[in-house]
């Protein structure tokens, strides 16, 4: 499938998913922000000195993380997203801070900003939709200031998932999915693209099959039986890695905090 066709699928998915998105996240994380406190605190800590400084979130979605950042870090916040419907949600959620943010309909592979303008960029739960993450990373590097911070956060595969079980499961559930990485692979990818001094944090959490169907499968007409077939085919090793049982599995959320730095 071509890159543009894939982005259209992502847009179509979020056109339908937008109205359910926040409820889905709150259900998974059982918290009002739709995130584990550990994830939110880690991002806030990485961006602590950003008051009044420009911060870009690529894939801002419904503002699930933008809102607490505006409240706690107080940056000048720019959110970019491919989905008009998700941007509408973000605008409503962040409206109390309307002097302090801008929201832009756009694509991570073609950022509409001048070079070196942002003190920090975050990309949370979004890079697994990128068919060519290296293209976006080049863009991020360009619009980030020297020594600027980049925070990546996303679901990652277990380090010992050598056959890509989780990636295959996700691809079966969602046509919008492009690729899951291992934490170590993402760290390497970032380093190869000029992001250094990485700090990596991996946070496990449980996800039920019911949630996988409600959040992803149902938008692509996947039948519950197809998901269960896929789970049944997991090897003993994969069952152990993801603590697979009759209700669900353990997933891993990875945060990588890095700095833009030229090679010495
Ligand atoms: C799972 S949501 C994450 C939203 C938000 N960061 C959060 O953590 O709640 C992924 C978002 O990435 C957006 N997205 C996917 N591909 C994109 C691209 N190429 N450029 C910009 N946004 C993109 C989607 O439209 C969606 O709103």
């Amino acid at each position: 499938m071509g890159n543009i066709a894939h982005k259209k699928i992502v847009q179509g998915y979020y056109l339908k998913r937008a109205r359910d998105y926040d409820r889905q996240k709150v259900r998974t994380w059982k918290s009002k922000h739709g995130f584990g406190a550990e994830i939110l605190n880690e991002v806030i800590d990485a961006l602590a000195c950003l008051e009044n400084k420009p911060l870009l979130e690529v894939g801002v979605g419904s503002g699930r993380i933008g809102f607490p950042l505006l409240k706690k870090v107080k940056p000048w916040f720019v959110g970019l997203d491919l989905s008009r419907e998700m941007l509408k949600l973000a605008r409503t959620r962040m409206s109390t801070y309307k002097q302090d943010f801008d929201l832009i309909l756009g694509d991570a592979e073609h950022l509409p900003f001048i070079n070196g303008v942002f003190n920090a960029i975050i990309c949370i739960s979004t890079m697994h939709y990128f068919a060519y993450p290296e293209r976006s990373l080049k863009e991020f590097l360009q619009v980030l200031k020297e020594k600027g911070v980049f925070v990546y956060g996303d679901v990652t595969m277990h380090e010992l998932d050598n056959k890509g079980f989780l990636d295959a499961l996700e691809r079966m559930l969602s046509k919008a999915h492009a690729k899951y990485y291992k934490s170590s692979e993402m760290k390497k990818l970032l380093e190869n693209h000029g992001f250094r001094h990485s700090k990596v944090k991996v946070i496990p959490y449980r996800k039920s099959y019911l949630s996988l169907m409600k959040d992803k499968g149902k938008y692509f007409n996947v039948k519950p039986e197809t998901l269960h077939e896929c789970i049944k085919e997991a090897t003993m090793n994969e069952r152990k890695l993801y603590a697979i049982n009759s209700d669900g599995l353990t997933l891993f959320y990875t945060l990588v905090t890095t700095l833009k730095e030229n090679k010495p």
Side-chain angles (χ1 to χ4, degrees), residues 106-126:
D107 176 7
E109 283 184 14
H110 304 279
L111 295 181
F113 309 111
I114 55 168
N115 289 352
V117 74
F118 290 102
N119 286 65
I121 300 179
I122 61 173
C123 191
I124 305 292
S125 306
T126 297

Side-chain angles (χ1 to χ4, degrees), residues 130-141:
F130 297 175
Y132 300 97
E134 61 287 350
R135 293 185 189 167
S136 305
L137 290 176
K138 276 189 194 142
E139 291 282 295
F140 298 176
L141 201 71

Side-chain angles (χ1 to χ4, degrees), residues 48-62:
C49 304
L50 238 64
E51 190 164 340
N52 296 324
K53 304 256 167 57
L55 159 68
L56 170 66
E57 181 173 10
V58 177
V60 62
S62 65

Side-chain angles (χ1 to χ4, degrees), residues 220-233:
F220 299 99
N221 300 320
V222 175
K223 295 201 169 81
E225 303 85 89
T226 315
L227 169 61
H228 288 292
E229 276 306 308
C230 201
I231 295 290
K232 245 201 258 165
E233 280 168 21

Side-chain angles (χ1 to χ4, degrees), residues 9 23 42 76 122 145 172 176 224:
I9 289 177
R23 244 175 301 134
E42 193 74 15
W76 177 60
I122 61 173
K145 288 190 171 131
M172 180 276 296

Side-chain angles (χ1 to χ4, degrees), residues 157-165 182 237-238 241-242:
M157 295 198 297
H158 192 287
E159 283 299 311
L160 302 176
D161 181 359
N162 292 329
K163 287 202 214 142
F165 166 79
K182 295 180 180 178
N237 184 43
E238 289 158 353
L241 298 180
Y242 293 106

